Amino acid sequence: MANSAFSDQVPSSLYAGGYYDINPQGYLDMLAFQDYGGGASLFDMLQQPTPPQALVVDPPASAMPETTSDLVNTPTTNSSSISSSSNEHVTDQENNNTRSDDDDDEEKTTTNKQLKAKKKNPKKQREPRFAFMTKTEVDHLDDGYRWRKYGQKAVKNSPFPRSYYRCTTASCGVKKRVERSSDDPSTVVTTYEGTHTHPCPIAPRGMLPETATYSGLNGGVNGVSSFLLPQNHYPQPSQSFFHNHINSLNFNNNSTTTTSSTIPSTYSHYMQERQSYPLSPSLLKDNGLLQDMVSFQIRKEEPKDEPS
DNA sequence: CGTTTTTGACCCGCGC
DNA sequence: GCGCGGGTCAAAAACG
């Protein structure tokens, strides 16, 4: 069905961790899941009849079934290129291959071009990705970390550019991508890649008021994006933490909606738990603040069948 | 003056 | 093999 259309519109490189929706109980259900490199994209999700303002998670390969691609594809079809998402196993530390400086061992300092080639690893291992959609007028939402923009590219089939950010912490190779959905301009899709190797610059809890602290560096315009990322090294109190964030998240400007979710320490953990993380009714309620947000239930698709 | 953003160029993977 | 599109680099500009 829509797949053919997608295959044409969606860049093959777009990825999506999964497809979620909010169930009647107010939980966020993962409808589909996909590993990086899969055929579906966030846009695919947006294209769905009922675009979820949810999040997409891309857990470590080790944590997810390989058939995940099927799940994702099911909804939209896998016409696109599903590169073997089964890339090599993800190494425990994703930091190792951050960019040119690290990988290039030694002999590649020949020409500038090669330098730019950044990593010529035979197979680039992708770090776990975590994406979510936020309904907000502000492209950048504070998530407590400091980011530096290192690129911006026009996205095919979208009037909105995609911005690339990297965590400013020296040893942290976490990257983030922010783009506005062409399908729904009011929705911003933020994708995190990797895990922070350091504590959040600002206290996890009431981060909002202090947002100025870091976002101010940039003038608040660029601020940042979204919520907290899963931190393997700095595990957070799962559920309650999640809720706290939702409550505490403030969006400096006019972003009324949004939301966020925090994926606790490890995705795999969640995956295994397969629990539902109910949002407080009040949160999901109407206030507009969280209605767009989401909590979620990650389904570990052990069955690996299609979500149908 | 230090840090971040902007922006064009380059590289790479993939599809045709 | 070529072209397309995504992702990254890095120099210059902008900002505080």
Side-chain angles (χ1 to χ4, degrees):
Chain A
M1 326 159 167
N3 45 18
S4 59
F6 291 146
S7 62
D8 186 36
Q9 301 176 14
V10 181
S12 60
S13 61
L14 282 178
Y15 45 78
Y19 177 27
Y20 302 76
D21 197 359
I22 298 173
N23 65 27
Q25 288 95 22
Y27 302 155
L28 190 123
D29 289 331
M30 176 180 280
L31 302 181
F33 215 116
Q34 175 188 357
D35 189 3
Y36 177 82
S41 69
L42 293 174
F43 286 111
D44 285 323
M45 299 180 210
L46 293 175
Q47 303 282 343
Q48 296 298 312
T50 57
Q53 282 132 10
L55 44 139
V56 193
V57 181
D58 198 301
S62 60
M64 53 188 314
E66 299 174 1
T67 52
T68 53
S69 58
D70 291 341
L71 291 173
V72 173
N73 294 328
T74 301
T76 58
T77 302
N78 57 4
S79 59
S80 48
S81 59
I82 285 91
S83 55
S84 54
S85 53
S86 57
N87 332 332
E88 301 57 77
H89 46 65
V90 177
T91 57
D92 44 9
Q93 293 297 330
E94 47 273 48
N95 296 330
N96 36 7
N97 60 354
T98 19
R99 54 168 139 340
S100 59
D101 52 315
D102 52 334
D103 63 10
D104 334 12
D105 317 329
E106 1 320 313
E107 40 193 328
K108 95 171 359 179
T109 54
T110 50
T111 60
N112 294 335
K113 300 168 119 190
Q114 300 205 336
L115 286 177
K116 290 184 160 195
K118 33 195 160 180
K119 43 190 84 185
K120 20 174 50 177
N121 295 339
K123 303 123 181 245
K124 49 175 86 180
Q125 299 178 349
R126 286 290 180 180
E127 300 177 13
R129 290 187 172 183
F130 161 72
F132 58 85
M133 292 183 260
T134 312
K135 197 161 231 181
T136 174
E137 296 175 27
V138 184
D139 289 350
H140 262 136
L141 299 177
D142 288 329
D143 61 358
Y145 290 93
R146 292 184 55 186
W147 303 88
R148 182 170 60 184
K149 187 175 186 177
Y150 67 89
Q152 179 173 303
K153 287 282 292 185
V155 179
K156 187 173 161 134
N157 294 316
S158 174
F160 308 105
R162 174 182 301 155
S163 297
Y164 299 86
Y165 299 86
R166 185 170 315 188
C167 183
T168 58
T169 299
S171 60
C172 184
V174 175
K175 285 181 278 191
K176 178 173 77 173
R177 252 160 275 186
V178 178
E179 63 185 284
R180 194 165 281 282
S181 167
S182 61
D183 186 67
D184 180 5
S186 66
T187 299
V188 172
V189 178
T190 303
T191 304
Y192 288 99
E193 182 176 327
T195 55
H196 291 282
T197 59
H198 55 94
C200 180
I202 58 177
R205 279 259 207 94
M207 58 199 287
L208 277 303
E210 291 74 11
T211 51
T213 304
Y214 51 90
S215 64
L217 291 175
N218 298 328
V221 176
N222 29 326
V224 188
S225 40
S226 6
F227 350 58
L228 300 188
L229 290 178
Q231 300 179 4
N232 291 334
H233 298 70
Y234 301 88
Q236 294 131 17
S238 51
Q239 200 167 339
S240 59
F241 180 73
F242 179 20
H243 289 162
N244 285 338
H245 265 316
I246 293 172
N247 287 322
S248 64
L249 272 183
N250 235 338
F251 296 89
N252 28 9
N253 296 329
N254 359 343
S255 64
T256 46
T257 11
T258 331
T259 25
S260 46
S261 53
T262 336
I263 299 243
S265 34
T266 62
Y267 315 27
S268 59
H269 172 68
Y270 270 5
M271 298 297 278
Q272 293 177 14
E273 295 290 325
R274 303 181 69 164
Q275 312 182 336
S276 293
Y277 294 88
L279 287 177
S280 313
S282 58
L283 290 177
L284 289 176
K285 228 173 230 178
D286 35 2
N287 310 328
L289 278 181
L290 292 175
Q291 65 184 28
D292 294 321
M293 190 203 133
V294 198
S295 89
F296 61 94
Q297 168 182 9
I298 294 178
R299 276 179 56 188
K300 171 185 194 172
E301 17 275 21
E302 293 183 59
K304 330 176 125 190
D305 285 344
E306 68 251 357
S308 67

